[in-house]
Every structure is written in structure tokens, then in C-alpha cells.
């Protein structure tokens, strides 16, 4: 009887030591792999899994009591367990609310997709006792959410496109054009995924096509495609190479393009007579104020294509003397 109790006590002690060791490793940002831990302690992987479950239960109880956000997660890429600690990962309540508001304003996804994304965002980032507050603050916008007219689900294309960009793989797409209705097929060298004015876009260089019919046949910049209009997508085994010096920098490109209308790089100048130039400087990140006078602000900016023309017209009388200094004429 006493011998049996000693054995049980020894087993409990060994288990406690294992759990404490695993937890200390996790606190040191180390990865726990069951196949390695079982060899270290001469136990089965099932025993290690039970130890990890004990740690997860402990964290769940502590999270509820202290509103901390330490979570034990399984990393599928590295095939091991790691600890995501409060302050290192995750979003605060305010950040979750802000991101949710931005998502709703973007209207980028179908209603079902948007609601699912918001539910998971709140569930994973907000403690249980605070979720009702966040949901109440979002409830009206969620109820009145209006999805875009295309009603397309395209999230499944984003990661394959991202992987093709990362690995410099040529892609073949079937694309539904806005004008003409008929779908076209293109071989592309994809270089970036962009988001603007409700839509996700793919930027890519076209392969094997006569560009003589294009408005700007010598355009050195990629063509822009709305991802929701990609009917078919095939990632090919062929790879392309762009020298580092000629790499496409979507951040710089994004500063200069309006409404995703491509075209020539132009320098424009105009006078803005609105109350504050911030609206212009925020819309056109490359804009600079050249002069400030009683008649308003003289502003110059570097932009791509004709999207700027649409924006200028939308400003009405607040913009005057609009001139294209390079690449075109003057808007009447």
C-alpha cells in the first residue's frame, strides 16, 4: 500500500516538473514540440498533450480572472506550440473597435464574410466580459451593412496570389472586363495586391500581348486588375525575374495613384481655396504647398494616370487653375 502511494507521489511529482518545465520554456518564447518533449521526459506524446492541456486550462482561467490575453496556440507551419502573451500580440479593445469600424467602412466583402470576420476578430481579441460592449457599439452598422453590387467571394484568391508574388511565379487569369462584357485571358507577372475605394486589386505586368491598342503602349508600370473580376486563376510553374533595382514598390505607387486608374506619371499643379489643405495633402501624399495667398494654396503633386482628373472635378469651385505640367494638357 505504502509502496503504491510512493509510486503515485513520484508520478505526480514528475508530471508537475514536466508542466513547470514546459511552461517556463513557453514563457521564454520557445517552441514546444511533442516529438521532442516526449523523448526528453521518456513519456508518450499523449502525456505531453495532457500537460499542454493543463497549461491551456490554467491560462484560460487566469485570462477570465485577470483579463490577460496569454494564449497557448499551435503553429501549423513550425509544428509546435507557442505562447502568445498579452502585450506582445493581439489587439486592445480600442484597437479592435477601430479595426472593426474600418472593415465595415471598406465594404470590401459580402455580408456573410464581413460578419464572420468581425465575429472572429472580436472573439480572439476581446475578453469575454468586454465583448458585449464592442458588439453594441457595432450593432447598428452591422445590421445596416450593404455589400457591394458584385456580390463576389474572392478571399480564396488572395493568398494564392500573394504566394505567386512572393515566389515570382507567372499566373494565367480569365478576367471579366468592365467594358465590352467579354472575358479576356492574360498571362501576368504579379507584383502587388492593393486595396482602394472598396476593391482589392492585383498589379501585374502582362506577358505575350501586343500593346499597340493600349492607350499607353509604352507604359512601364503594371496593369491593374480588380480581383473580384478574376473568374479563373492558375498559378504556373514558370518563374519571372525582376532585378532588385527595378522592383515594383507598391508603397510609392500607392502614393501616386487615384481610384486605381493607371497611366503615365504626371506632375500637376492647381490652386485650392478650401478651408484647410489637409484634405488635399491626405488625398495626395506626394502633394506639396508651393505658395499660400489670399486666393488659396498653390499645390503641386506627382500622380499616375487620369484618376486625379476625377478627383479634381469632384472638388468643384475649390480647385482652380488645374494644369498638367508633364504628360498632358489642361482640363477645361
Amino acid at each position: 500500500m505504502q509502496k503504491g502511494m510512493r509510486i503515485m507521489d513520484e508520478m505526480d511529482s514528475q508530471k508537475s516538473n514536466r508542466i513547470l518545465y514546459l511552461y517556463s520554456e513557453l514563457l521564454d518564447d520557445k517552441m514546444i514540440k511533442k516529438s521532442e518533449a516526449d523523448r526528453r521526459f521518456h513519456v508518450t506524446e499523449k502525456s505531453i498533450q495532457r500537460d499542454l492541456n493543463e497549461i491551456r486550462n490554467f491560462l484560460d482561467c487566469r485570462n477570465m480572472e485577470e483579463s490577460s490575453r496569454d494564449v497557448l496556440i499551435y503553429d501549423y507551419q513550425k509544428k509546435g506550440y507557442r505562447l502568445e502573451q498579452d502585450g506582445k500580440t493581439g489587439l486592445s479593445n480600442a484597437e479592435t473597435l477601430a479595426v472593426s469600424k474600418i472593415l465595415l467602412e471598406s465594404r470590401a466583402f459580402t455580408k456573410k464574410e464581413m460578419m464572420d470576420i468581425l465575429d472572429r476578430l472580436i472573439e480572439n481579441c476581446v475578453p469575454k466580459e468586454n465583448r458585449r460592449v464592442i458588439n453594441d457599439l457595432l450593432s447598428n452598422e452591422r445590421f445596416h451593412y450593404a455589400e457591394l453590387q458584385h456580390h463576389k467571394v474572392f478571399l480564396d484568391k488572395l493568398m494564392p496570389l500573394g504566394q505567386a508574388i512572393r515566389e515570382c511565379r507567372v499566373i494565367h487569369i480569365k478576367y471579366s472586363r468592365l467594358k465590352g462584357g467579354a472575358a479576356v485571358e492574360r498571362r501576368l507577372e504579379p507584383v502587388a495586391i492593393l486595396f482602394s475605394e472598396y476593391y482589392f486589386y492585383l498589379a501585374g505586368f502582362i506577358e505575350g500581348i501586343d500593346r499597340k491598342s493600349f492607350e499607353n503602349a509604352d507604359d512601364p508600370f503594371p496593369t491593374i486588375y480588380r480581383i473580384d473580376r478574376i473568374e479563373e486563376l492558375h498559378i504556373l510553374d514558370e518563374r519571372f525575374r525582376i532585378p532588385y533595382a527595378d522592383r515594383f514598390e507598391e508603397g510609392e505607387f500607392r502614393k501616386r495613384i487615384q481610384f486605381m486608374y493607371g497611366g503615365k506619371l504626371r506632375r500637376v499643379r492647381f490652386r485650392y481655396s478650401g478651408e484647410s489643405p489637409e484634405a488635399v495633402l491626405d488625398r495626395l501624399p506626394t502633394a506639396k504647398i508651393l505658395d499660400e495667398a489670399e486666393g488659396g494654396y498653390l499645390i503641386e503633386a506627382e500622380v499616375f494616370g487620369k484618376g486625379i482628373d476625377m478627383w479634381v472635378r469632384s472638388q468643384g469651385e475649390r480647385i482652380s487653375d488645374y494644369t498638367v505640367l508633364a504628360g498632358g494638357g489642361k482640363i477645361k
Side-chain angles (χ1 to χ4, degrees):
M1 181 74 173
Q2 290 181 344
K3 182 178 179 182
M5 291 182 64
R6 286 199 303 271
I7 293 174
M8 291 294 293
D9 288 342
E10 184 176 346
M11 291 176 64
D12 287 342
S13 177
Q14 290 175 353
K15 180 178 180 179
S16 298
N17 288 336
R18 283 200 316 269
I19 292 175
L20 288 171
Y21 174 85
L22 294 173
Y23 187 53
S24 65
E25 290 287 279
L26 290 166
L27 288 175
D28 288 337
D29 289 333
K30 294 181 181 177
M31 182 79 63
I32 300 297
K33 296 185 177 182
K34 291 189 292 185
S35 59
E36 296 174 358
D38 65 351
R39 290 195 297 270
R40 179 183 182 88
F41 294 104
H42 305 290
V43 295
T44 65
E45 285 192 16
K46 288 185 177 180
S47 295
I48 299 299
Q49 184 63 61
R50 284 193 289 268
D51 296 341
L52 291 169
N53 290 340
E54 294 269 6
I55 293 173
R56 180 181 281 111
N57 292 336
F58 164 75
L59 292 172
D60 288 344
C61 291
R62 194 181 71 170
N63 289 343
M64 292 182 65
E65 295 172 358
E66 302 177 8
S67 297
S68 64
R69 297 299 300 158
D70 294 357
V71 181
L72 181 66
I73 68 166
Y74 183 75
D75 191 321
Y76 286 92
Q77 288 187 331
K78 296 183 179 179
K79 301 187 184 306
Y81 289 84
R82 58 183 173 83
L83 188 65
E84 286 193 348
Q85 294 179 273
D86 189 25
K88 292 186 177 181
T89 58
L91 301 174
S92 68
N93 293 340
E95 290 168 336
T96 303
L97 178 61
V99 170
S100 299
K101 289 281 188 178
I102 292 169
L103 280 170
L104 285 164
E105 177 66 21
S106 75
R107 297 175 58 203
F109 308 107
T110 65
K111 187 166 187 175
K112 183 181 185 307
E113 286 178 307
M114 181 64 76
M115 299 306 115
D116 287 346
I117 290 171
L118 291 173
D119 286 341
R120 291 198 297 273
L121 179 65
I122 293 169
E123 182 178 349
N124 286 290
C125 295
V126 179
K128 287 184 179 178
E129 61 272 17
N130 295 333
R131 290 175 192 168
R132 182 172 181 178
V133 175
I134 301 296
N135 282 320
D136 284 349
L137 291 169
L138 298 173
S139 61
N140 190 264
E141 285 181 272
R142 291 183 68 153
F143 180 77
H144 292 287
Y145 181 77
E147 62 182 55
L148 300 178
Q149 293 301 305
H150 62 67
H151 305 295
K152 296 283 185 66
V153 174
F154 57 86
L155 271 174
D156 58 330
K157 294 185 176 71
L158 289 184
M159 282 309 297
L161 285 171
Q163 198 68 15
I165 292 168
R166 186 171 179 269
E167 297 176 359
C168 295
R169 291 187 180 274
V170 177
I171 65 172
H172 182 274
I173 66 170
K174 186 176 181 181
Y175 186 75
S176 176
R177 294 185 296 186
L178 279 170
K179 295 180 180 180
V184 296
E185 296 189 26
R186 295 283 187 266
R187 279 174 53 97
L188 301 175
E189 297 175 0
V191 293
I193 294 172
L194 306 163
F195 179 80
S196 178
E197 313 291 341
Y198 309 121
Y199 306 112
F200 281 91
Y201 295 87
L202 172 69
F205 293 99
I206 305 174
E207 283 190 351
I209 189 172
D210 187 353
R211 298 174 61 93
K212 291 180 181 179
S213 60
F214 284 34
E215 183 177 348
N216 184 15
D218 298 324
D219 186 1
F221 299 101
T223 303
I224 307 297
Y225 297 89
R226 255 176 55 182
I227 292 179
D228 62 276
R229 291 188 168 275
I230 296 178
E231 296 179 2
E232 296 179 12
L233 168 66
H234 302 284
I235 313 298
L236 307 181
D237 291 333
E238 303 170 50
R239 295 177 184 265
F240 61 92
R241 179 179 177 276
I242 298 177
Y244 183 80
D246 298 330
R247 71 192 186 284
F248 177 70
E249 297 185 84
E250 56 262 45
E252 290 299 317
F253 183 75
R254 190 66 187 83
K255 290 179 186 178
R256 293 166 171 80
I257 192 166
Q258 300 298 312
F259 305 109
M260 285 297 149
Y261 276 81
K264 294 181 178 179
L265 185 63
R266 302 192 293 174
R267 193 157 43 91
V268 299
R269 183 181 294 173
F270 54 88
R271 188 165 295 279
Y272 179 74
S273 58
E275 292 183 3
S276 170
E278 282 187 5
V280 178
L281 300 179
D282 288 340
R283 165 58 76 172
L284 309 174
T286 62
K288 296 179 181 179
I289 298 175
L290 302 181
D291 182 50
E292 181 180 350
E294 196 171 314
Y297 303 88
L298 184 63
I299 295 176
E300 187 171 297
E302 190 176 64
V303 296
F304 281 113
K306 296 181 178 180
I308 182 67
D309 302 346
M310 295 173 58
W311 179 78
V312 166
R313 291 190 178 99
S314 73
Q315 299 302 299
E317 295 180 355
R318 284 174 292 186
I319 287 185
S320 59
D321 301 327
Y322 175 61
T323 306
V324 178
L325 303 175
K330 187 174 183 178
I331 288 185
K332 298 178 180 179

